[in-house]
Amino acid sequence: MSLPPEKASELKQLIHQQLSKMDVHGRIREILAETIREELAPDQQQLSTEDLIKALRRRGIIDDVMKELNFVTDSVDQELPSSPKQPVCFTDRQSTLLKKTNIDPTRRYLYLQVLGGKAFLEHLQEPEPLPGQVCSTFTLCLHFRNQRFRSKPVPCACEPDFHDGFLLEVHRESLGDGTRMADSTTMLSISDPVHMVLIKTDIFGETTLVASYFLEWRSVLGSENGVTSLTVELMGVGTESKVSVGILNIKLEMYPPLNQTLSQEVVNTQLALERQKTAEKERLFLVYAKQWWREYLQIRPSHNSRLVKIFAQGDCEDHANLLCSLLLGYGLEAFVCVGTKAKGIPHAWVMTCGTDGTVTFWESLTGHRYIHKPVNPDESPVAEQPKPLYPYRTIGCVFNHQMFLGNCQPSDSVEICVFDLNDESKWKPMSEEAIKSVCAPGATTSLPPFPPLCASTIDASVTSNEIEMQLRLLVSEHRKDLGLTTVWEDQLSYLLSPALASYEFERTTSISAGNEEFQDAIRRAVPDGHTFKGFPIHFVYRNARRAFATCLRSPFCEEIICCRGDQVRLAVRVRVFTYPESACAVWIMFACKYRSVL
């Protein structure tokens, strides 16, 4: 498409300004001279254009220029990574049509567009944010067959302005099918849904799960031209699982376009057969579970009063399930335990079984760990027995994603329980095949079960500086309320940085390093007759006000922040260490030095 003369002139001027800013001409002259000097033979005095282009490419000049020349217009094609293995996400605000992009032409893609939302009634009165104003946002996350995607954050509103497109690769992973483009019939047999998760981030950076939805995408295979639009009603989570959160407008399109679409009747028949098969599996599992329960009661009638189920009453079961999943992901043998605490209160916690037979209890609500040492009820009353430190009283069953075992020992007391899970006289197992038959949606894929981790989106340096400036302001305001002035010493703050780095290094590797150098630097910075105090603390969130309130609860830290005396100088240093999934470790150190008065 040709540009009007005035637009072309403006574009040339912009490119010229950018090239001048980057000093591209100077860099080309340097490479030209270097190439002639190093690569041309003495009798060869001319350098071809092709040789110069190769030299510029080899040294990354062309790539640097292309990265800097980012002009956002309605007609500029958006470049996507050429590798089909990487999650592909781009914004399509002006048009709902597919844009040209570098993708693998041998693969089939499902192009999923989110074209706005409506009826998010919780945000009906939400005022439209002003430019630059910090506001709560929605982010939509997608997971499909070991691929992950994330939308751009949009302000929370009754009609959130979602306009994102995602390319989801669809192919069979069977031997011989990996490089073959999937046809309609093949894709119809791929039952993996698109898992959509809506997350809300408040103005303090705290995230909340709003909704989770499994999208059945195969209706597009029976649509005219392989294109269909639909609305998705998102339901809440937890106690609000039957309450509508809002509606998303979705458009699905196959790319490349299908040569032959299926009839809608064929698609509906396949989906109905799958639902019927799932219902039959659930029916058979229910029959098996009832038989298992009858056999369990026949062992001992008192088993009827034991907590043998996969949930407990309270706020702990979700935490226990999450912790168990994390520990399983780390390669440990982990189980959720269902039983009671003191006074017979139903409770759920986590147990891991070590290769040496050690049984460890994990309290998911506090992070406390307890080693289980069973009491022998047959020992003499005068014999010394281990005293349990854990708060758990009885245990009815344990389970994870593959196993369910009911406690069939004479007593369900945790103190005397033996956790030999392979002994069927102590633990009655449920059939693993029966459990596998009723897996959750998407759990039956033969692809690797864990989606790839997403790189952190947090800029560690910028975030560290922002939190540090906020903490300085909070400290100054706090001291002002106490009638104290605040004098910051930047050099002392700077010297705290290596200590925070060594603390994180020790936390992740259990190796201590750099402590002596830090102490020596502090001694050199603190004059004779002065006292230095420092207080390091670690957080996993980036809320400065919340961290400051926590620090004030420490008497030692409060003593530093509220320090009174002669020549008081304060310092604070923040270091944010980023990890995948935008998880972070935030280290903060408050310090002060003052003249000692004897």
Side-chain angles (χ1 to χ4, degrees), residues 23 42 82 149 166 266 336 346 398 400 404 411 416-417 430 456 464 527 536:
D23 192 24
S82 59
F149 309 84
F166 308 94
V266 170
V336 174
V398 300
N400 60 20
F404 184 94
S411 171
I416 63 175
C417 186
M430 186 170 278
S456 176
S464 299

Side-chain angles (χ1 to χ4, degrees), residues 84-85 107-109 144-145 147 167-171:
K85 295 298 183 184
R107 295 298 178 98
R108 185 81 68 185
Y109 294 89
F144 178 71
R145 293 173 62 79
Q147 304 164 67
L167 279 176
L168 287 64
E169 182 181 325
V170 185
H171 73 280

